[in-house]
Amino acid sequence: MIEVEHLRKWYRVHRREPGLKAALRSLLHRPYEDVKAVEDISFSIGAGERVGFLGPNGAGKTTTLKVLAGLLHPTEGRVAVGGFLPQERAREFLTQITLVMGQKQQLLWDLPPSETFALNRAIYDIPRAQYEETVAELTALLELAPLLGKPTRQLSLGERMKCELAVALLHRPKVLFLDEPTIGLDVSMQATVRTFVRAYNERFSATVILTSHYMEDVAALCPRVMVIDKGRLIFDGALPDLIRRVRPDKRVLLRLSKPVEQRDLLPLGTIISQNDAEVIIQVSQEGLQASVARALSTLPLRDLTVEDPPLEEVMRDLFAQGNAA
Amino acid sequence: MMRLLRVIRAQLRASLALALQYRLEFLVEGLLALLWMAVTLVPLLVVFGARGTVAGWSFAEMLVVLGWFVALKGVLEGTLSPSLMQVVEHVRKGTLDFVLLKPADAQLLVSLSKIEPWRVIDFAGAAVIFTYAFRQIGHAPSAADLLLSAALLLAAVLVLYSIAILVVSIAFVAVRVDNLLYLFQSVFDVARWPSSVFRGALAMIFTYVLPLALMTTYPALALLGKLNARTALGALLGAFVFAGLARLIWLSSIRRYTSASS
Amino acid sequence: MMAALKAYPQMLKTGFAEAVAYRAEFLIWMFATNMPLVMLAIWAAAARSGPIAGYSQTGFTAYYLCALLVRLMTGAWVVWELTMDIRQGTFALQLLRPINPLWQRSADNLAAIPMRGIVALPVVGILLWLARGELSHDPLQWLLLCPALMGAWLLYFLVQASIGTLALRFESASSLFDAWLGFSNILSGYLIPLDLFPRAVRDIALFLPFRFQLSYPIELMLGRWSRGEALELLAAQWAYVALFFMITRFAWRSGLRHYAAYGG
C-alpha cells in the first residue's frame, strides 16, 4: 500500500536569533541553514496495517506523514501510496486518503458538524446511499447523535475530536494519517478514539499511520512501530521487540504476606521500590528464571507477576540512547 | 511610577523586536503608512482644486485638521488597535488570566501589549503637514495656542484610549469584539473632516455622542488660534470625565471576568 | 472543475448557513463601509455654492450611494481567510480535499449576497428617494449591471485570492493587499469620482483594472455611457477578469510548489 525508498526531505530556513540587535542585523543579512528533517528513510506498509510513528518532537514524524499525504514533496527518494505519487495530488488519490490532526480542525467553527458533513459529501462526491449508511454507522460508533446539531464551538474538545474523526472518514478513505489525534483528550476519550480507529481499520481494512506522544495509543493500536529520530528510521518492528531491545530487563512484582529483610531481596536483582507488602525488582532477561525460582522458594509470597518496564520509561531510554550516540 | 515606566519600556522593546523579526513586513508596513497618508491627502487636494473654501475652512486650515487626524490615526492603529486585538485573542483563547496574574496594572499591560513601530511615520507625516499648512497661512502658531492645542491633543488621546478600553470591556461580555473595534476604526474616518462639514443630527452626534470633534477639530482650532477658552475647558473636562468613566467600567468588567471564570 | 461545479450548490448552501451564523458580524462589517458617506459629506459641503465638474449636491449623493451599493454587493474577504488558514496550519487539511479550496471560498463570498442585500435595500430606497433623477433611464444598461457587478466581484475576489496565496511564501501577504487597497481606493472611484481628477490622471485611471471593480458599475447606474460604450466597457472588464484568473492560477500553482518544498 505504501512504499518509501530512500526518502530525504531538507528544508532551507532562515535562522532567527533573539534580541533586538539580532533582529536589526537580520534586516540586512539573513542567515540561512538547511534543516535535514528526514534523512534516508525506507519502509513499506501493507494494506490494512496499523503503524505507529514514534519519536521526539522534531524527529521528522510529521514531515514523513506530510510527504505521504502529498503535502510536501520529497527532496530525494521515491514515495508511492496506493499506487499514486502523492505529490501529484490526483483526485483519485485524495479521495482515498484522509488526514486528522489533533490540533487543527476542518469542522466549520460556528456551524453544526452536520453542515461540514454535508459539505464534505459534496466535495468528495459521495453517493447519497453510501453517505447515509456511513453517517449512521459513524453516529452509532462514536455516539454523535446529540452533537451533530450543535455549533462546533459549543462542543468540548473530545466531542469535537469525535466529529472531526467522523468528517474525515465520511468518504471511507483507504489510508488514514493520524497526527496526534488524542492530544489533550482525557483518558476515557483517548480510549474511545483508539477503539474507534481500530474498528474502522478492521471494518474497511484501511491502512492506519499514527503519530502520538501517548505511548498507550501506540501500544493499544499499532502492532508495528517505527521509531524515527533525527530524521532516521532507527527501528521498524513489533512493539515488544522494541522494548526487548531497548530494555532487555523485566520487572518482578512481589506481593508479600509478611515483611522481609532487604538482604533477602538483594540476590534477586536491583530493588526499585520496597515496602512491607510490595516489592518491585528489576531483573535481567537471562537472570529472570533463576530469580523467580529463588523468590518462590525463599520468600513469603502472596503473588508474583513479571512485567515489561513501563512504556514511557522505554521511550525515555530509547531517545536518551539516541542522543548519546 | 518608575516601575510603570519600566513596564512600558519593556513592552515597547518586545513589540519592536517582534516587529523587526519580519523583515519584509517591516519594510512593507513602513511604505504602507506613507501610501495611506497619500491616500488621505488626495481627496483634500481634489476638493480644494475645485473650491477655495469648504464650510468656512480654507485649504491650509483643513490641512491642520488632517494633520491631527493622521497623528491620531497613528496612535489608534499603531498602539491601541493591535493591543486590543491581542486582548480579544486572549479572551478567546482563555489566556487573559496570564495577563491578569502579572503584578502590574492590567489596563496598562493590555493597552500597550503590542505596538506597530512603523506607525511613527504617521507622526512624521503629521509634522510635515503642519509645517506646510502654517507656511501657507503665513505665520506660526503662538506659544499659547501651541500649549492649548497640546492640552487638547492630550484630551483627544485620552478619549480615544477610553473608547478603546470601553470596547475591550465589552469583550468580556460579548466575545466577537474585534468587529466593534473595526467599526470604531471606520467611524473614526469621519474625524478627517472638521465637524462643521456636517449638518443637523450628524453634527450633534459627532460632537457629543461620539466626540470626534474633540479629537481633531478642537485641537486644530486651538492651533489656529480660533478656539475660545470656554469650549477648550469644557472639552478638557469632558475628556477626563470620560476617561474616569471608562476606567470604572474596565475595573468592574475585570472583576466580573475574574469572578466568572474561576 | 466538473467535480467542483457539481459540489458548488452544497458549497453555496453551507456558505449561506455561515453567513446566517455570522449575521451580527456581517451587519457590523457593512456599517463599517461608511467611507462613501464620509466623502459625500465633504463634497456636499463643497457643492453648496454650485455644481463641481458637473456634479451637483444631488449628483454627489447619487454617486456615493451607488458606490456604497456596489461595495456592499461585491464584498470578498478571501485574502483574510487564506492568510489565517495558512498561518494556523488548517490550510493543510483543506488542501487534502479533492477540490481546490478557492472554490469553497468563492461560494462563501457569493452566498453572503442575500445577507448583504438586506442591508443594501434601504440604501436603494434612499437613493431612489433622494436622487432618482440622476439615475440611468435605460433598462438595458440596468440589465448590464448584473454581469458588471458579477465581473466587479470576480475581479475583487481574484485579486484577493492571488495575493492571499502569496501568504504561502511571505509571513504576511495581507499588508500587500493593504497596499493594493490604498491604490484601489483612489483609482477605483471609491473616494472620489474619476471625473474630478485632472485629465491625465483620469485617463490613466480609466484604463487600470481598479476602475472596473467599482467605478464602471456606478457609471452604468448613472447612465454615463451610450449602449455601445457600455458594452465595450463590459468586454474590457471581463478581459481583466480573465487576466486575473490566469494570474490567480499561476500564483496558486507556484504557491503550492513552494509550500510543498518548505512546508506550512
Tab-separated table of all heavy atoms in Angstrom, chain B residues 22 24-25 29 32 35-36 39 42-43 46-47 50-51 62 176 179 182-183 186 189-190 192-193 197-199, chain C residues 25 28-29 32 34-35 38-39 41-43 46 48-50 52 171-172 175 178-179 182 185-186 192 196:
chain	number	residue	atom	x	y	z
B	22	TYR	N	10.075	40.277	11.289
B	22	TYR	CA	9.518	40.080	9.965
B	22	TYR	C	10.060	41.161	9.046
B	22	TYR	O	9.538	42.258	8.978
B	22	TYR	CB	8.001	40.109	10.029
B	22	TYR	CG	7.472	39.035	10.933
B	22	TYR	CD1	7.084	39.319	12.240
B	22	TYR	CD2	7.401	37.726	10.498
B	22	TYR	CE1	6.633	38.318	13.074
B	22	TYR	CE2	6.945	36.730	11.315
B	22	TYR	CZ	6.556	37.022	12.599
B	22	TYR	OH	6.112	36.034	13.418
B	24	LEU	N	10.501	41.613	5.707
B	24	LEU	CA	9.737	42.117	4.585
B	24	LEU	C	8.580	42.959	5.094
B	24	LEU	O	8.308	44.053	4.610
B	24	LEU	CB	9.203	40.940	3.769
B	24	LEU	CG	8.438	41.376	2.530
B	24	LEU	CD1	9.404	41.740	1.428
B	24	LEU	CD2	7.509	40.277	2.058
B	25	GLU	N	7.906	42.425	6.100
B	25	GLU	CA	6.742	43.115	6.607
B	25	GLU	C	7.119	44.500	7.131
B	25	GLU	O	6.390	45.466	6.948
B	25	GLU	CB	6.106	42.284	7.715
B	25	GLU	CG	4.702	42.698	7.995
B	25	GLU	CD	4.024	41.764	8.964
B	25	GLU	OE1	4.446	41.767	10.131
B	25	GLU	OE2	3.123	41.039	8.554
B	29	GLU	N	5.325	47.609	5.665
B	29	GLU	CA	4.432	48.387	6.523
B	29	GLU	C	4.851	49.861	6.566
B	29	GLU	O	4.010	50.748	6.626
B	29	GLU	CB	4.414	47.815	7.944
B	29	GLU	CG	3.773	46.456	8.046
B	29	GLU	CD	2.261	46.502	7.914
B	29	GLU	OE1	1.683	47.595	8.050
B	29	GLU	OE2	1.671	45.444	7.652
B	32	LEU	N	3.673	51.304	3.488
B	32	LEU	CA	2.210	51.367	3.535
B	32	LEU	C	1.728	52.589	4.279
B	32	LEU	O	0.788	53.260	3.848
B	32	LEU	CB	1.686	50.131	4.254
B	32	LEU	CG	1.315	48.964	3.386
B	32	LEU	CD1	0.751	47.869	4.250
B	32	LEU	CD2	0.292	49.390	2.359
B	35	LEU	N	1.916	55.378	2.021
B	35	LEU	CA	0.895	55.289	0.980
B	35	LEU	C	-0.455	55.764	1.504
B	35	LEU	O	-1.157	56.547	0.877
B	35	LEU	CB	0.800	53.852	0.482
B	35	LEU	CG	-0.356	53.580	-0.484
B	35	LEU	CD1	-0.127	54.292	-1.790
B	35	LEU	CD2	-0.538	52.093	-0.721
B	36	TRP	N	-0.807	55.270	2.699
B	36	TRP	CA	-2.126	55.614	3.229
B	36	TRP	C	-2.219	57.089	3.558
B	36	TRP	O	-3.286	57.698	3.488
B	36	TRP	CB	-2.474	54.754	4.439
B	36	TRP	CG	-3.000	53.434	3.998
B	36	TRP	CD1	-2.325	52.261	3.988
B	36	TRP	CD2	-4.296	53.165	3.437
B	36	TRP	NE1	-3.114	51.266	3.462
B	36	TRP	CE2	-4.322	51.798	3.119
B	36	TRP	CE3	-5.409	53.939	3.172
B	36	TRP	CZ2	-5.430	51.189	2.555
B	36	TRP	CZ3	-6.524	53.331	2.612
B	36	TRP	CH2	-6.536	51.972	2.305
B	39	VAL	N	-3.064	58.596	0.382
B	39	VAL	CA	-4.470	58.332	0.075
B	39	VAL	C	-5.367	59.295	0.852
B	39	VAL	O	-6.394	59.737	0.360
B	39	VAL	CB	-4.819	56.867	0.412
B	39	VAL	CG1	-6.318	56.640	0.331
B	39	VAL	CG2	-4.090	55.931	-0.523
B	42	VAL	N	-5.132	62.888	-0.972
B	42	VAL	CA	-5.655	63.081	-2.325
B	42	VAL	C	-7.051	63.713	-2.364
B	42	VAL	O	-7.244	64.707	-3.064
B	42	VAL	CB	-5.602	61.760	-3.126
B	42	VAL	CG1	-6.403	61.876	-4.404
B	42	VAL	CG2	-4.171	61.401	-3.437
B	43	PRO	N	-8.010	63.187	-1.600
B	43	PRO	CA	-9.339	63.798	-1.679
B	43	PRO	C	-9.316	65.291	-1.334
B	43	PRO	O	-9.988	66.095	-1.978
B	43	PRO	CB	-10.156	63.025	-0.639
B	43	PRO	CG	-9.455	61.749	-0.473
B	43	PRO	CD	-8.008	62.033	-0.693
B	46	VAL	N	-8.085	67.242	-4.224
B	46	VAL	CA	-9.069	67.318	-5.299
B	46	VAL	C	-10.197	68.275	-4.926
B	46	VAL	O	-10.620	69.116	-5.735
B	46	VAL	CB	-9.617	65.920	-5.627
B	46	VAL	CG1	-10.703	66.009	-6.681
B	46	VAL	CG2	-8.493	65.021	-6.107
B	47	VAL	N	-10.672	68.192	-3.686
B	47	VAL	CA	-11.769	69.068	-3.259
B	47	VAL	C	-11.342	70.529	-3.369
B	47	VAL	O	-12.068	71.367	-3.916
B	47	VAL	CB	-12.201	68.756	-1.808
B	47	VAL	CG1	-13.207	69.797	-1.329
B	47	VAL	CG2	-12.805	67.380	-1.721
B	50	ALA	N	-11.136	72.342	-6.601
B	50	ALA	CA	-12.382	72.858	-7.159
B	50	ALA	C	-12.911	74.067	-6.398
B	50	ALA	O	-13.648	74.880	-6.948
B	50	ALA	CB	-13.437	71.755	-7.173
B	51	ARG	N	-12.565	74.202	-5.134
B	51	ARG	CA	-13.143	75.253	-4.305
B	51	ARG	C	-12.045	75.908	-3.456
B	51	ARG	O	-11.105	75.245	-3.018
B	51	ARG	CB	-14.175	74.653	-3.336
B	51	ARG	CG	-15.494	74.317	-3.947
B	51	ARG	CD	-16.312	75.583	-4.203
B	51	ARG	NE	-17.646	75.266	-4.664
B	51	ARG	CZ	-17.959	75.031	-5.941
B	51	ARG	NH1	-17.027	75.054	-6.868
B	51	ARG	NH2	-19.201	74.753	-6.282
B	62	MET	N	-7.840	73.291	6.728
B	62	MET	CA	-8.288	71.904	6.645
B	62	MET	C	-7.094	70.956	6.803
B	62	MET	O	-7.228	69.869	7.374
B	62	MET	CB	-8.962	71.683	5.283
B	62	MET	CG	-9.893	70.506	5.237
B	62	MET	SD	-11.495	70.830	5.966
B	62	MET	CE	-12.531	71.029	4.537
B	176	ARG	N	-17.020	38.528	20.297
B	176	ARG	CA	-16.521	38.980	18.991
B	176	ARG	C	-16.404	40.490	18.919
B	176	ARG	O	-17.026	41.146	18.104
B	176	ARG	CB	-17.440	38.509	17.896
B	176	ARG	CG	-17.560	37.024	17.834
B	176	ARG	CD	-18.082	36.654	16.486
B	176	ARG	NE	-16.995	36.252	15.635
B	176	ARG	CZ	-16.653	34.996	15.463
B	176	ARG	NH1	-17.281	34.059	16.106
B	176	ARG	NH2	-15.673	34.685	14.651
B	179	ASN	N	-14.847	43.041	15.867
B	179	ASN	CA	-15.660	43.730	14.875
B	179	ASN	C	-16.052	45.125	15.334
B	179	ASN	O	-16.097	46.052	14.549
B	179	ASN	CB	-16.908	42.923	14.582
B	179	ASN	CG	-16.557	41.626	13.893
B	179	ASN	OD1	-15.955	41.653	12.835
B	179	ASN	ND2	-16.876	40.519	14.516
B	182	TYR	N	-13.228	47.326	14.800
B	182	TYR	CA	-13.141	47.610	13.379
B	182	TYR	C	-14.154	48.693	13.008
B	182	TYR	O	-13.845	49.648	12.290
B	182	TYR	CB	-13.406	46.312	12.622
B	182	TYR	CG	-13.448	46.432	11.139
B	182	TYR	CD1	-12.371	46.961	10.454
B	182	TYR	CD2	-14.562	46.025	10.429
B	182	TYR	CE1	-12.402	47.074	9.088
B	182	TYR	CE2	-14.605	46.129	9.064
B	182	TYR	CZ	-13.528	46.656	8.388
B	182	TYR	OH	-13.565	46.762	7.033
B	183	LEU	N	-15.347	48.547	13.554
B	183	LEU	CA	-16.391	49.537	13.292
B	183	LEU	C	-15.952	50.908	13.786
B	183	LEU	O	-16.081	51.914	13.101
B	183	LEU	CB	-17.688	49.119	13.981
B	183	LEU	CG	-18.878	50.047	13.783
B	183	LEU	CD1	-19.262	50.097	12.314
B	183	LEU	CD2	-20.069	49.597	14.604
B	186	SER	N	-13.479	52.523	11.568
B	186	SER	CA	-14.005	53.091	10.337
B	186	SER	C	-14.822	54.349	10.622
B	186	SER	O	-14.839	55.272	9.822
B	186	SER	CB	-14.816	52.053	9.573
B	186	SER	OG	-16.066	51.894	10.184
B	189	ASP	N	-12.829	57.520	10.755
B	189	ASP	CA	-12.506	58.187	9.496
B	189	ASP	C	-13.244	59.512	9.336
B	189	ASP	O	-12.785	60.405	8.627
B	189	ASP	CB	-12.850	57.274	8.315
B	189	ASP	CG	-11.713	56.331	8.001
B	189	ASP	OD1	-10.560	56.740	8.210
B	189	ASP	OD2	-11.970	55.205	7.558
B	190	VAL	N	-14.393	59.607	9.986
B	190	VAL	CA	-15.179	60.844	9.913
B	190	VAL	C	-14.359	62.019	10.438
B	190	VAL	O	-14.497	63.149	9.973
B	190	VAL	CB	-16.478	60.686	10.735
B	190	VAL	CG1	-17.192	62.007	10.872
B	190	VAL	CG2	-17.368	59.650	10.068
B	192	ARG	N	-11.602	62.986	9.866
B	192	ARG	CA	-10.673	63.635	8.939
B	192	ARG	C	-11.217	64.980	8.473
B	192	ARG	O	-10.483	65.801	7.964
B	192	ARG	CB	-10.386	62.724	7.753
B	192	ARG	CG	-11.551	62.596	6.808
B	192	ARG	CD	-11.188	61.773	5.599
B	192	ARG	NE	-10.864	60.412	5.970
B	192	ARG	CZ	-10.021	59.654	5.288
B	192	ARG	NH1	-9.414	60.143	4.239
B	192	ARG	NH2	-9.805	58.414	5.650
B	193	TRP	N	-12.508	65.184	8.603
B	193	TRP	CA	-13.099	66.478	8.247
B	193	TRP	C	-13.445	67.251	9.518
B	193	TRP	O	-13.797	66.642	10.529
B	193	TRP	CB	-14.365	66.313	7.413
B	193	TRP	CG	-14.253	65.440	6.210
B	193	TRP	CD1	-15.116	64.470	5.836
B	193	TRP	CD2	-13.245	65.466	5.204
B	193	TRP	NE1	-14.718	63.877	4.687
B	193	TRP	CE2	-13.561	64.467	4.255
B	193	TRP	CE3	-12.095	66.232	4.987
B	193	TRP	CZ2	-12.783	64.222	3.139
B	193	TRP	CZ3	-11.318	65.982	3.874
B	193	TRP	CH2	-11.664	64.992	2.962
B	197	VAL	N	-18.408	70.505	8.740
B	197	VAL	CA	-18.812	69.998	7.434
B	197	VAL	C	-20.183	69.337	7.544
B	197	VAL	O	-20.991	69.361	6.636
B	197	VAL	CB	-17.755	68.987	6.919
B	197	VAL	CG1	-18.318	68.133	5.805
B	197	VAL	CG2	-16.527	69.728	6.440
B	198	PHE	N	-20.427	68.755	8.705
B	198	PHE	CA	-21.678	68.035	8.896
B	198	PHE	C	-22.762	68.992	9.356
B	198	PHE	O	-22.502	70.028	9.962
B	198	PHE	CB	-21.491	66.911	9.911
B	198	PHE	CG	-20.450	65.935	9.471
B	198	PHE	CD1	-19.147	66.039	9.913
B	198	PHE	CD2	-20.780	64.929	8.578
B	198	PHE	CE1	-18.181	65.152	9.481
B	198	PHE	CE2	-19.814	64.029	8.146
B	198	PHE	CZ	-18.515	64.149	8.599
B	199	ARG	N	-23.999	68.624	9.056
B	199	ARG	CA	-25.111	69.485	9.427
B	199	ARG	C	-26.128	68.683	10.217
B	199	ARG	O	-26.199	67.468	10.088
B	199	ARG	CB	-25.770	70.023	8.156
B	199	ARG	CG	-24.856	70.933	7.392
B	199	ARG	CD	-25.691	71.901	6.633
B	199	ARG	NE	-24.947	73.113	6.359
B	199	ARG	CZ	-25.318	73.982	5.432
B	199	ARG	NH1	-26.430	73.770	4.744
B	199	ARG	NH2	-24.621	75.073	5.222
C	25	GLU	N	-21.962	39.937	12.789
C	25	GLU	CA	-20.688	40.431	12.260
C	25	GLU	C	-20.895	41.095	10.900
C	25	GLU	O	-20.331	42.146	10.629
C	25	GLU	CB	-19.689	39.289	12.112
C	25	GLU	CG	-19.070	38.821	13.408
C	25	GLU	CD	-20.009	37.988	14.240
C	25	GLU	OE1	-20.985	37.450	13.671
C	25	GLU	OE2	-19.783	37.885	15.454
C	28	ILE	N	-22.126	44.520	11.228
C	28	ILE	CA	-21.095	45.458	11.651
C	28	ILE	C	-20.140	45.772	10.504
C	28	ILE	O	-19.813	46.926	10.253
C	28	ILE	CB	-20.333	44.891	12.859
C	28	ILE	CG1	-21.235	44.968	14.083
C	28	ILE	CG2	-19.055	45.674	13.100
C	28	ILE	CD1	-20.603	44.474	15.346
C	29	TRP	N	-19.728	44.706	9.780
C	29	TRP	CA	-18.816	44.948	8.655
C	29	TRP	C	-19.439	45.925	7.680
C	29	TRP	O	-18.772	46.789	7.141
C	29	TRP	CB	-18.511	43.635	7.930
C	29	TRP	CG	-17.609	42.743	8.705
C	29	TRP	CD1	-16.672	43.139	9.608
C	29	TRP	CD2	-17.571	41.324	8.677
C	29	TRP	NE1	-16.058	42.044	10.143
C	29	TRP	CE2	-16.574	40.918	9.587
C	29	TRP	CE3	-18.269	40.359	7.964
C	29	TRP	CZ2	-16.267	39.576	9.803
C	29	TRP	CZ3	-17.957	39.037	8.186
C	29	TRP	CH2	-16.973	38.637	9.096
C	32	ALA	N	-19.488	49.351	8.779
C	32	ALA	CA	-18.146	49.918	8.725
C	32	ALA	C	-17.808	50.415	7.322
C	32	ALA	O	-16.853	51.147	7.138
C	32	ALA	CB	-17.128	48.885	9.186
C	34	ASN	N	-18.433	52.867	5.517
C	34	ASN	CA	-19.099	54.166	5.556
C	34	ASN	C	-18.308	55.245	4.825
C	34	ASN	O	-18.683	56.403	4.827
C	34	ASN	CB	-19.354	54.581	7.001
C	34	ASN	CG	-18.065	54.590	7.804
C	34	ASN	OD1	-16.986	54.479	7.236
C	34	ASN	ND2	-18.171	54.723	9.097
C	35	MET	N	-17.175	54.839	4.227
C	35	MET	CA	-16.338	55.831	3.582
C	35	MET	C	-17.068	56.664	2.533
C	35	MET	O	-16.905	57.885	2.500
C	35	MET	CB	-15.107	55.138	2.983
C	35	MET	CG	-14.021	56.081	2.554
C	35	MET	SD	-13.625	57.325	3.778
C	35	MET	CE	-12.054	56.763	4.324
C	38	VAL	N	-18.762	59.391	4.292
C	38	VAL	CA	-17.827	60.392	4.802
C	38	VAL	C	-17.405	61.323	3.672
C	38	VAL	O	-17.354	62.538	3.830
C	38	VAL	CB	-16.588	59.704	5.415
C	38	VAL	CG1	-15.547	60.730	5.829
C	38	VAL	CG2	-16.988	58.859	6.612
C	39	MET	N	-17.124	60.730	2.506
C	39	MET	CA	-16.711	61.545	1.364
C	39	MET	C	-17.867	62.403	0.864
C	39	MET	O	-17.677	63.547	0.450
C	39	MET	CB	-16.201	60.652	0.231
C	39	MET	CG	-14.896	59.945	0.515
C	39	MET	SD	-13.584	61.034	1.090
C	39	MET	CE	-13.501	62.198	-0.276
C	41	ALA	N	-20.116	63.774	2.610
C	41	ALA	CA	-20.277	64.944	3.476
C	41	ALA	C	-19.434	66.106	2.972
C	41	ALA	O	-19.928	67.235	2.848
C	41	ALA	CB	-19.892	64.588	4.910
C	42	ILE	N	-18.160	65.833	2.656
C	42	ILE	CA	-17.289	66.939	2.259
C	42	ILE	C	-17.688	67.494	0.893
C	42	ILE	O	-17.742	68.710	0.695
C	42	ILE	CB	-15.799	66.511	2.272
C	42	ILE	CG1	-14.886	67.720	2.072
C	42	ILE	CG2	-15.484	65.510	1.207
C	42	ILE	CD1	-14.619	68.467	3.314
C	43	TRP	N	-18.035	66.601	-0.027
C	43	TRP	CA	-18.412	67.088	-1.359
C	43	TRP	C	-19.721	67.844	-1.307
C	43	TRP	O	-19.905	68.838	-2.014
C	43	TRP	CB	-18.499	65.937	-2.351
C	43	TRP	CG	-17.161	65.477	-2.831
C	43	TRP	CD1	-16.576	64.291	-2.574
C	43	TRP	CD2	-16.230	66.206	-3.641
C	43	TRP	NE1	-15.334	64.230	-3.153
C	43	TRP	CE2	-15.098	65.394	-3.825
C	43	TRP	CE3	-16.241	67.477	-4.220
C	43	TRP	CZ2	-13.992	65.792	-4.560
C	43	TRP	CZ3	-15.140	67.879	-4.951
C	43	TRP	CH2	-14.028	67.052	-5.120
C	46	ALA	N	-18.929	71.140	-0.171
C	46	ALA	CA	-18.234	71.920	-1.208
C	46	ALA	C	-19.174	72.341	-2.325
C	46	ALA	O	-18.990	73.394	-2.932
C	46	ALA	CB	-17.077	71.097	-1.772
C	48	ARG	N	-22.259	73.189	-2.054
C	48	ARG	CA	-23.364	74.047	-1.617
C	48	ARG	C	-23.485	75.283	-2.507
C	48	ARG	O	-24.563	75.763	-2.789
C	48	ARG	CB	-23.141	74.483	-0.160
C	48	ARG	CG	-23.862	73.586	0.839
C	48	ARG	CD	-23.480	73.925	2.274
C	48	ARG	NE	-23.328	72.698	3.067
C	48	ARG	CZ	-22.658	72.650	4.219
C	48	ARG	NH1	-22.080	73.723	4.722
C	48	ARG	NH2	-22.570	71.510	4.865
C	49	SER	N	-22.335	75.780	-2.932
C	49	SER	CA	-22.357	77.025	-3.709
C	49	SER	C	-22.491	76.787	-5.208
C	49	SER	O	-22.399	77.724	-5.981
C	49	SER	CB	-21.085	77.827	-3.403
C	49	SER	OG	-19.961	76.992	-3.568
C	50	GLY	N	-22.686	75.552	-5.629
C	50	GLY	CA	-22.850	75.297	-7.059
C	50	GLY	C	-22.179	74.011	-7.467
C	50	GLY	O	-21.332	73.501	-6.733
C	52	ILE	N	-19.865	71.046	-9.095
C	52	ILE	CA	-18.432	70.908	-9.356
C	52	ILE	C	-18.253	69.854	-10.435
C	52	ILE	O	-18.706	68.718	-10.271
C	52	ILE	CB	-17.680	70.471	-8.080
C	52	ILE	CG1	-17.879	71.494	-6.981
C	52	ILE	CG2	-16.207	70.256	-8.380
C	52	ILE	CD1	-17.440	71.039	-5.623
C	171	GLU	N	5.469	35.899	5.316
C	171	GLU	CA	4.813	35.806	6.621
C	171	GLU	C	3.417	36.426	6.564
C	171	GLU	O	2.466	35.889	7.060
C	171	GLU	CB	5.644	36.531	7.681
C	171	GLU	CG	7.027	35.969	7.870
C	171	GLU	CD	7.007	34.674	8.667
C	171	GLU	OE1	5.939	34.297	9.148
C	171	GLU	OE2	8.077	34.063	8.798
C	172	SER	N	3.332	37.611	5.966
C	172	SER	CA	2.021	38.226	5.917
C	172	SER	C	1.804	38.898	4.587
C	172	SER	O	2.381	39.932	4.288
C	172	SER	CB	1.866	39.215	7.051
C	172	SER	OG	0.644	39.884	6.900
C	175	SER	N	-0.464	42.643	4.160
C	175	SER	CA	-0.049	44.036	4.007
C	175	SER	C	0.096	44.397	2.532
C	175	SER	O	-0.123	45.535	2.145
C	175	SER	CB	1.231	44.325	4.767
C	175	SER	OG	1.996	43.204	4.942
C	178	ASP	N	-3.139	45.345	1.519
C	178	ASP	CA	-3.398	46.678	2.052
C	178	ASP	C	-2.918	47.740	1.075
C	178	ASP	O	-3.600	48.735	0.831
C	178	ASP	CB	-2.670	46.826	3.387
C	178	ASP	CG	-3.527	47.528	4.413
C	178	ASP	OD1	-4.757	47.427	4.307
C	178	ASP	OD2	-2.961	48.180	5.298
C	179	ALA	N	-1.733	47.512	0.513
C	179	ALA	CA	-1.183	48.456	-0.453
C	179	ALA	C	-2.079	48.526	-1.686
C	179	ALA	O	-2.403	49.602	-2.192
C	179	ALA	CB	0.223	48.035	-0.856
C	182	GLY	N	-4.984	50.597	-0.980
C	182	GLY	CA	-4.685	52.030	-0.990
C	182	GLY	C	-4.821	52.593	-2.392
C	182	GLY	O	-5.528	53.590	-2.610
C	185	ASN	N	-8.495	52.472	-3.587
C	185	ASN	CA	-9.384	53.495	-3.036
C	185	ASN	C	-9.369	54.758	-3.891
C	185	ASN	O	-10.399	55.389	-4.104
C	185	ASN	CB	-8.965	53.847	-1.606
C	185	ASN	CG	-9.607	52.906	-0.599
C	185	ASN	OD1	-10.410	52.062	-0.973
C	185	ASN	ND2	-9.251	53.045	0.659
C	186	ILE	N	-8.184	55.125	-4.357
C	186	ILE	CA	-8.073	56.325	-5.168
C	186	ILE	C	-8.514	56.064	-6.603
C	186	ILE	O	-9.316	56.804	-7.166
C	186	ILE	CB	-6.603	56.822	-5.197
C	186	ILE	CG1	-6.158	57.217	-3.791
C	186	ILE	CG2	-6.443	57.981	-6.152
C	186	ILE	CD1	-6.849	58.423	-3.244
C	192	ILE	N	-13.211	59.335	-4.670
C	192	ILE	CA	-13.532	60.493	-5.500
C	192	ILE	C	-13.975	60.004	-6.877
C	192	ILE	O	-13.327	59.134	-7.450
C	192	ILE	CB	-12.288	61.373	-5.706
C	192	ILE	CG1	-11.659	61.702	-4.372
C	192	ILE	CG2	-12.626	62.644	-6.456
C	192	ILE	CD1	-10.193	61.948	-4.486
C	196	LEU	N	-13.459	63.864	-11.448
C	196	LEU	CA	-12.959	65.043	-10.744
C	196	LEU	C	-11.439	65.110	-10.723
C	196	LEU	O	-10.873	66.101	-10.279
C	196	LEU	CB	-13.488	65.045	-9.301
C	196	LEU	CG	-15.001	65.256	-9.229
C	196	LEU	CD1	-15.511	64.991	-7.833
C	196	LEU	CD2	-15.354	66.657	-9.659
